[in-house]
Amino acid sequence: MIYKRMQNLKTLPPLRLPACAESSAGRRKTSISDGQAFSLIELILVMMLIGILSVIILPKADNLITTMRLKAAGAKLQDDLTFIYDYAVTKHDTTWLVVNIAENSYGIFSGPSESERELILDPSTNRQGYIDFDDEYSGVQVTSVNFNGGVTFYYNWWGTPSSGGEIVLNNSKIIKVVPETGYVYETE
C-alpha cells in the first residue's frame, strides 16, 4: 500500500511557477511593479491604528494589573490572619499581626507579650514574616487599620482573638476580623 503511494508521487508533473513570476530568461522578476508591496500610505495607516489601540489598551492593562495586585495582597493578608490562628492553636503560643501604616507593611509574630514577641517564618515564602506591600504588591497601600483603636491584633494560645477589626487596602478592599470568633473575611 505504501509502495503504491510512493509510485504515485513519482508520476506528478514538475512544479512550474506562474507566468508573472518568471521572466523570459527563466529568472524571477525583481521589480515590485506587480502590486506585491505595501504603499507608504498603507504603512502609515497601520502604524496609526497600532498607536490608537495602544493608547486605548495600555491604561486599561495598567488598571488591571493594579487590581490583580490588590486581590493578591488581600488574599495574602487573609491567609496570614488564618495562619496566625492555626499557629496559635497548634503551637500553644500567642501570635500577633502588627501593621505599620507608615512603612506600608505588616509582620507576623509569636510570643506571650508585646515585649517578648519574635517574627515567625512566613509559610508561603519560608522567610521572616515581614510583608512589605511596596516590594511585593506595588501599587497597594494600607489605607487604615483599626483593631480596637490600634494596629496590633493577636490570637491567644486558645485561638481567641484580642478584638475584632479591619484593615483597609487602597480605600476599597476591607479585610475584617470578627471579634468573638476571629473569623476572617473580605468585603469591597
Side-chain angles (χ1 to χ4, degrees):
M1 182 93 159
I2 295 174
Y3 180 71
K4 286 183 181 180
R5 286 186 186 164
M6 291 181 70
Q7 281 185 343
N8 288 342
L9 289 176
K10 290 180 182 178
T11 61
L12 292 175
L15 181 63
R16 303 269 308 157
L17 294 173
C20 65
E22 291 183 5
S23 66
S24 60
R27 288 181 272 154
R28 295 185 63 118
K29 290 184 180 180
T30 58
S31 71
I32 57 172
S33 62
D34 59 355
Q36 297 295 321
F38 294 108
S39 70
L40 183 60
I41 293 176
E42 290 171 329
L43 292 175
I44 290 173
L45 286 173
V46 168
M47 289 174 56
M48 284 177 43
L49 284 172
I50 290 171
I52 291 169
L53 289 175
S54 65
V55 166
I56 294 170
I57 292 173
L58 286 179
K60 290 183 181 187
D62 187 43
N63 191 20
L64 178 65
I65 291 169
T66 303
T67 302
M68 289 172 55
R69 285 183 183 149
L70 180 61
K71 285 183 180 183
K76 173 70 173 147
L77 192 54
Q78 282 183 287
D79 288 346
D80 284 345
L81 283 164
T82 304
F83 169 70
I84 65 169
Y85 169 80
D86 294 339
Y87 191 95
V89 172
T90 58
K91 302 288 184 177
H92 295 287
D93 197 2
T94 302
T95 53
W96 307 74
L97 182 111
V98 181
V99 181
N100 187 333
I101 297 174
E103 293 182 10
N104 199 31
S105 62
Y106 69 90
I108 51 178
F109 301 86
S110 70
S113 67
E114 286 188 43
S115 61
E116 298 177 49
R117 65 184 179 209
E118 296 177 358
L119 277 171
I120 56 179
L121 290 178
D122 181 356
S124 62
T125 62
N126 208 24
R127 295 181 298 176
Q128 291 293 322
Y130 178 78
I131 288 61
D132 187 351
F133 285 114
D134 292 330
D135 289 343
E136 298 183 34
Y137 305 101
S138 178
V140 176
Q141 188 72 30
V142 178
T143 309
S144 68
V145 179
N146 184 8
F147 288 113
N148 202 21
V151 295
T152 303
F153 173 79
Y154 68 87
Y155 288 102
N156 67 15
W157 64 280
W158 286 98
T160 306
S162 59
S163 65
E166 65 184 27
I167 301 172
V168 181
L169 303 175
N170 285 13
N171 286 325
S172 61
K173 186 172 287 297
I174 303 170
I175 310 299
K176 291 193 174 198
V177 180
V178 177
E180 295 83 19
T181 62
Y183 176 72
V184 180
Y185 67 97
E186 173 186 325
T187 63
E188 286 195 41

